[in-house]
């Protein structure tokens, strides 16, 4: 059983990742922490609470960073995830509310309560993780592993030619996290651009699990339309689900150690690149994936939800 916190900016593929985690008997979901990115942080918290309620999860939600560490605030990615984060679907209002402590405080407290056991899976900008590091110098050492959806070693970017979106939205936070000495696995575009899901895959899941699989199918039409405008993929990328799946099925991913830096200014801002001379701990970068197995697992998890 993996004790897991997902740090998220829901987001259509975030919703897919959280529903998959809800279905997995191998995951003990300790909580969700929210961050700006695909949507504002306020909307991210509202959406996270809705996902918890839709999935019948019993886990707390902690509200996180509203803006990047240093960069000016960003416009949410409404063209990818819709105005409210779930494509064309209105999220509605949750009945529950977020914890009184912040995302960074919750991360620090959970890591200290579960020393060496907690896996943290950030699937949005890394602002909360960097904030938790500043709050508690023991945080990084207390966490068993960070499995980060973000970055790219050799696959180029998705928000600019060089940068992946989660890193681009807070490059300073990402730079701090990669240089922190934490145990990190990076599930970036090198593997998520190979891990695709088509409209007919979503139909299969909606048929098997009409309520939650059906919700994802409805959300996915917006996301698939965006991918069609990009023009180079057959389907949409399972970015965030791939990272959560990597937390429990690491054997499906081939990794390569690299000391990572993040460009924090200039035309390539947000680019992640290897620089052995940097002198801090290596990140395990996912460079290969058994994509059919990840897709199979994703579909069977979602199909089992209702
Ligand atoms: C990442 O950026 C966001 O748009 C997605 O939710 C995912 O976390 C992919 O680059
Ligand atoms: Ca995300």
């Amino acid at each position: 059983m993996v004790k897991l916190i997902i740090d998220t900016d829901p987001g259509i593929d975030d919703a897919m990742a959280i529903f998959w985690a809800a279905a997995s008997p191998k995951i003990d979901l300790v909580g969700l922490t929210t961050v700006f990115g695909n949507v504002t942080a306020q909307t991210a918290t509202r959406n996270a609470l809705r996902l918890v309620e839709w999935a019948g999860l019993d886990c707390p939600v902690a509200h996180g960073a509203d803006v990047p560490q240093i960069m000016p605030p960003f416009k949410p990615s409404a063209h990818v995830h819709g105005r409210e984060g779930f494509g064309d679907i209105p999220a509605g209002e949750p009945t529950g509310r977020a914890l009184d402590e912040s995302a960074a405080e919750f991360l620090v407290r959970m890591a200290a309560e579960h020393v060496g056991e907690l896996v943290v899976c950030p699937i949005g900008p890394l602002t909360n993780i960097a904030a938790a590091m500043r709050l508690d110098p023991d945080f990084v050492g207390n966490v068993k592993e960070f499995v980060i959806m973000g970055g790219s070693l050799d696959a180029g970017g998705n928000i600019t030619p060089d940068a992946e979106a989660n890193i681009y939205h807070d490059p300073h936070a990402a730079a701090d996290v990669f240089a922190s000495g934490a145990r990190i696995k990076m599930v970036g575009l090198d593997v998520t651009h190979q891990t695709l899901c088509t409209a007919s895959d979503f139909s299969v899941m909606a048929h098997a699990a009409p309520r939650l699989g059906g919700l994802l199918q409805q959300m996915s039409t917006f996301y698939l339309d965006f991918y069609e405008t990009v023009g180079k993929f057959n389907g949409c990328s399972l970015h965030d689900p791939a990272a959560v799946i990597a937390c429990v099925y690491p054997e499906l991913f081939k990794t390569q150690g690299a000391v990572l830096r993040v460009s924090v200014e200039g035309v390539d801002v947000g680019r992640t690149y290897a620089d052995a001379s940097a002198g801090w701990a290596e990140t395990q970068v996912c460079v290969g994936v058994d994509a059919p197995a990840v897709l199979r697992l994703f579909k069977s998890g979602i199909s089992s939800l209702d």
Side-chain angles (χ1 to χ4, degrees):
M1 203 67 156
V2 174
K3 275 196 189 308
L4 186 69
I5 293 180
I6 301 178
D7 185 66
T8 176
D9 59 340
I12 296 172
D13 61 326
D14 301 73
M16 295 173 191
I18 291 163
F19 279 2
W20 190 85
S24 173
K26 291 173 178 277
I27 291 179
D28 170 11
L29 197 57
V30 173
L32 301 179
T33 50
T34 66
V35 62
F36 76 92
N38 294 327
V39 289
T40 64
Q42 208 186 358
T43 302
T45 298
R46 192 271 316 263
N47 288 357
L49 288 164
R50 288 296 286 148
L51 292 170
V52 163
E53 289 169 7
W54 273 326
L57 282 162
D58 178 22
C59 85
V61 172
H63 177 79
D66 295 284
V67 292
Q69 209 166 285
I70 292 176
M71 303 289 261
F74 281 86
K75 272 218 193 99
S77 311
H79 62 298
V80 187
H81 296 272
R83 211 168 47 81
E84 293 200 47
F86 293 151
D88 291 324
I89 302 191
E93 281 312 309
T95 52
R97 54 186 293 271
L99 295 175
D100 287 333
E101 64 190 333
S102 71
E105 288 165 346
F106 178 72
L107 283 160
V108 162
R109 183 165 65 82
M110 287 301 111
E113 274 180 29
H114 306 288
V115 173
E117 280 185 284
L118 185 69
V119 174
V120 177
C121 184
I123 56 176
L126 292 166
T127 321
N128 290 332
I129 310 305
M133 282 166 30
R134 288 193 300 275
L135 211 55
D136 178 4
D138 293 332
F139 171 64
V140 149
N142 288 344
V143 171
K144 182 178 180 195
E145 190 184 20
F146 294 87
V147 180
I148 293 173
M149 191 290 123
S152 165
L153 196 57
D154 291 317
N158 63 352
I159 192 160
T160 73
D162 299 300
E164 182 281 328
N166 288 340
I167 305 297
Y168 180 80
H169 283 140
D170 197 342
H172 298 89
D176 289 352
V177 172
F178 286 121
S180 68
R183 290 168 283 274
I184 303 175
K185 180 175 290 172
M186 181 175 110
V187 183
L189 302 182
D190 305 274
V191 289
T192 64
H193 273 171
Q194 297 177 45
T195 313
L196 302 170
C197 195
T198 64
S200 79
D201 293 319
F202 285 107
S203 295
V204 169
M205 292 181 266
H207 185 72
R211 201 173 64 85
L212 296 178
L215 253 180
L216 289 189
Q217 184 195 29
Q218 279 178 276
M219 291 183 195
S220 71
T221 56
F222 194 95
Y223 198 49
L224 284 160
D225 284 350
F226 165 75
Y227 270 86
E228 234 179 275
T229 66
V230 179
K232 54 180 185 182
F233 301 105
N234 175 28
C236 62
S237 266
L238 295 175
H239 298 290
D240 294 345
V244 174
I245 289 171
C247 295
V248 278
Y249 293 98
E251 67 278 8
L252 299 180
F253 297 80
K254 183 177 158 221
T255 59
Q256 175 187 308
V259 180
L260 289 186
R261 275 191 194 277
V262 179
S263 170
V264 293
E265 58 188 5
V267 283
D268 69 345
V269 64
R271 179 168 76 100
T272 42
Y273 60 100
D275 177 4
S277 71
W280 47 75
E282 286 187 337
T283 287
Q284 293 306 310
V285 179
C286 292
V287 292
V289 58
D290 183 345
V294 171
L295 179 62
R296 256 196 319 276
L297 275 169
F298 177 66
K299 287 171 72 175
S300 64
I302 299 302
S303 298
S304 74
L305 271 171
D306 282 14

